[in-house]
Amino acid sequence: MRFIRDFISLYIMRHLLLLVSLILIVSCKSVEKYNAQVTSLHSIYDLQEDVDAIYGQLKRHHPRLYQYSSKETLDFKFDSLKNTIVKPITSQEFYEKLAPVVREVRQGHISVAPPKEKFTKPERKELNKKKFEFYELDFECLDDALWVTGARTDSALIGSQVLKVNTENPMDLIKKYEHQIASDGYNTTLYSRAIGKNFARLYYRDKGFLDSVALTFKLRDSVFTRVLKRVDKNKPADSVQKPQDSTVVKTLTKDERNAKKIAEREKRKRHKKLGYISSRKEYIRNFNYLNDAVAIMKIRGFEDGPYKEFYSESFQKLDSLNTPYLILDLRDNGGGRIGEIDYLFSYLAQEPYQFINNKSEVTSRVPFMTFAMANGSPTGLKIVSAILSPIIVTHNLLKTQKVNDTLYYKFKYSKIRQPKENNFKGQVYVLINGNSFSASSIISTNLKALNLATFVGEETGGAYNGTVAGIYKYYTLPNSLVKIRFGLMQIESPYKTEPDGFGIKPDVYIVPTHEDRLNGKDPELEWILMDIEKDKSYSGSGKANQIGY
């Protein structure tokens, strides 16, 4: 035993020395040099070399590169892209040529991003003291227009239509951005949903760092322009100086201090369990009762923090109250962890099930090392992965196998699993839209295939037949520094549908309008409640305790 401890200690010490050496050896480009490369004109040769580099990475590491576009099609498009580069251009201009071509792979987890100028440490420190009012707005694309649906600073803007972003029509920008992002297969519902929700981020990707943005709004019959700026985070909402508060601060007793500490600890525990988003003052996971018979579970994403306690408590409550109806709201749920959706599904399944296919296609026997050691991965991750490489490599080799010249990785979630003892036995409705993607589509596929739920809304952005995700390759092109991210594993349920390349289709198709938003109406949810009322066994009334609100 002592020999093993000494060996481990020596192993760790040697690799810690390696870690220190790597930190000293690995030197990032200075901000000045990086910015010069980002903003300079790149030669035709260098940019064509980048085109070959990115296509080479995709051919080497993407397991389903030709699933939706044939090899001949992609070969032609990448060759054509090279032929369009007839003069030196900047990284941003190259990105705008490259992104629409990469989009043709038609895998929604592929993303291309242009490099942006960096800031020095003092500059970042000053910027962190400010917030950009533009980023305080939430947008949605409905009825061929861009609307403000949320505002954390100026709530008076909610419900207004955006007519101009600086001097540009927002719908022209949205059409431009549609050609720069990918959806799974031939799905089209993702574009307007995802672009509306991420409009501010995509605008930054397009225009770069800005100190201000002038937005022209229309609210009812009024048209007005607001210049949204970077302002001090601690600046009060009004400029009127408040009189000094002369109230004497009460000194808390020992019992009061202890009670306050307990309350704060419980609050932190609750935030952790429900996935609190401090910038938006909302939870990722929510559960409450609309009345005694109908519960609703709103999940904004399958990520951030522990989740088992939330689902265990929620389904225990459903079971103890013998609740007949459950609404699972997956609208605008962009996905997340397989472990979480598998755990949730174990409460919805009615018999033994296999959640994902036992063969997840990969292109490497060591996919986790491919992810960790990519040139776009953080230096710290590379160093830690190098130290732990014997463990990672051994694990990957045990998990991968070759069948008929194709490599597969086996997840534990592909085993036959049992439903929870207190699984939900009532009627399930699932709310979906074009921004229901990735993990939310995988659990939806299982529910749909086994006829465990009624789906209401619009086709999901994520494909019914699976997606290439799991872990990712982050690659930075050598000359333009344009970044690409793409999945390394084909993740799919055991169920398939034809034709391939589309999302989960709703049983009841409903798309909200802006008029619905203005009137505070949720037409999808309202349809479900009306359908429940038709059920002779329905007798819901009153309120029940809430979890998550």
Side-chain angles (χ1 to χ4, degrees), residues 1-13:
M1 184 66 69
R2 183 177 179 181
F3 169 77
I4 295 174
R5 287 200 305 269
D6 290 344
F7 175 80
I8 293 173
S9 298
L10 178 61
Y11 178 82
I12 292 174
M13 287 183 64

Side-chain angles (χ1 to χ4, degrees), residues 133-140 146-160 162 196-197 200 215 217 228 279-280 282 514 517:
E133 294 172 318
F134 183 46
Y135 297 156
E136 298 290 296
L137 300 180
D138 297 325
F139 301 97
E140 185 174 20
L146 185 67
W147 309 88
V148 177
T149 56
R152 287 169 290 286
T153 301
D154 187 355
S155 59
L157 294 175
I158 296 176
S160 59
V162 182
K197 188 175 182 180
L215 296 185
F217 300 99
L228 306 179
S279 63
R280 306 180 65 84
E282 64 184 18
H514 177 62
R517 295 286 189 257

Side-chain angles (χ1 to χ4, degrees), residues 117-338:
E117 293 184 66
K118 292 183 177 180
F119 298 95
T120 62
K121 188 174 181 179
E123 289 172 334
R124 290 197 303 271
K125 187 176 180 181
E126 286 302 310
L127 281 173
N128 287 334
K129 297 177 183 178
K130 298 182 178 183
K131 63 181 179 181
F132 196 8
E133 294 172 318
F134 183 46
Y135 297 156
E136 298 290 296
L137 300 180
D138 297 325
F139 301 97
E140 185 174 20
C141 186
L142 286 173
D143 304 333
D144 294 322
L146 185 67
W147 309 88
V148 177
T149 56
R152 287 169 290 286
T153 301
D154 187 355
S155 59
L157 294 175
I158 296 176
S160 59
Q161 180 184 352
V162 182
L163 300 180
K164 293 286 184 182
V165 184
N166 284 331
T167 61
E168 295 180 274
N169 185 319
M171 295 312 295
D172 291 338
L173 293 170
I174 287 171
K175 289 176 183 177
K176 175 182 178 181
Y177 301 157
E178 280 185 5
H179 294 287
Q180 297 173 349
I181 65 173
S183 178
D184 277 348
Y186 312 107
N187 168 274
T188 59
T189 61
L190 176 135
Y191 295 117
S192 62
R193 296 285 179 200
I195 292 172
K197 188 175 182 180
N198 298 288
F199 183 79
R201 181 174 61 84
L202 292 168
Y203 191 75
Y204 165 76
R205 183 183 289 186
D206 185 13
K207 309 299 181 183
F209 179 85
L210 297 171
D211 277 317
S212 64
V213 175
L215 296 185
T216 302
F217 300 99
K218 180 180 180 181
L219 184 59
R220 301 181 186 90
D221 295 327
S222 176
V223 176
F224 57 96
T225 299
R226 292 276 180 87
V227 178
L228 306 179
K229 303 177 181 178
R230 295 185 184 272
V231 298
D232 192 330
K233 288 180 180 178
N234 301 316
K235 183 180 178 180
D238 54 58
S239 58
V240 179
Q241 187 173 1
K242 295 181 180 180
Q244 187 173 358
D245 189 356
S246 58
T247 305
V248 177
V249 179
K250 179 184 175 182
T251 302
L252 299 178
T253 65
K254 183 178 180 180
D255 288 343
E256 288 173 331
R257 289 197 302 271
N258 288 337
K260 185 178 180 181
K261 287 181 181 178
I262 291 172
E264 289 176 347
R265 185 164 61 246
E266 288 300 313
K267 184 180 179 180
R268 289 194 298 271
K269 183 180 177 182
R270 178 183 176 85
H271 283 357
K272 185 177 181 181
K273 175 177 67 177
L274 302 177
Y276 186 64
I277 308 171
S278 59
S279 63
R280 306 180 65 84
K281 295 181 173 57
E282 64 184 18
Y283 294 112
I284 291 176
R285 292 176 282 276
N286 305 268
F287 174 75
N288 76 307
Y289 275 79
L290 300 180
N291 54 52
D292 292 343
V294 183
I296 184 167
M297 185 178 287
K298 168 67 178 175
I299 311 295
R300 292 184 168 88
F302 296 107
E303 54 193 350
D304 292 340
Y307 54 84
K308 292 186 177 180
E309 185 180 356
F310 167 78
Y311 293 116
S312 297
E313 287 184 9
S314 301
F315 283 95
Q316 179 60 43
K317 190 174 187 66
L318 289 165
D319 186 60
S320 64
L321 295 177
N322 197 25
T323 307
Y325 302 100
L326 172 64
I327 301 170
L328 179 61
D329 190 348
L330 298 180
R331 290 174 295 184
D332 295 315
N333 183 319
R337 299 169 292 194
I338 299 177

Side-chain angles (χ1 to χ4, degrees), residues 2 18 54 56 68 93 104 155 217 224 273 283 285 294 316 318 339 348 367 369 400 448-450 494 515 530 537:
R2 183 177 179 181
L18 174 63
I54 197 168
Y68 300 119
E93 292 170 317
E104 292 302 312
S155 59
F217 300 99
F224 57 96
K273 175 177 67 177
Y283 294 112
R285 292 176 282 276
V294 183
Q316 179 60 43
L318 289 165
L348 300 172
M369 291 301 291
T400 54
K448 182 80 167 179
L450 296 174
E515 198 68 26
M530 288 175 60
S537 63

Side-chain angles (χ1 to χ4, degrees), residues 379-398:
T379 302
L381 175 62
K382 294 178 185 177
I383 294 171
V384 171
S385 299
I387 294 173
L388 299 177
S389 59
I391 299 172
I392 297 172
V393 170
T394 301
H395 170 271
N396 280 201
L397 290 174
L398 291 173

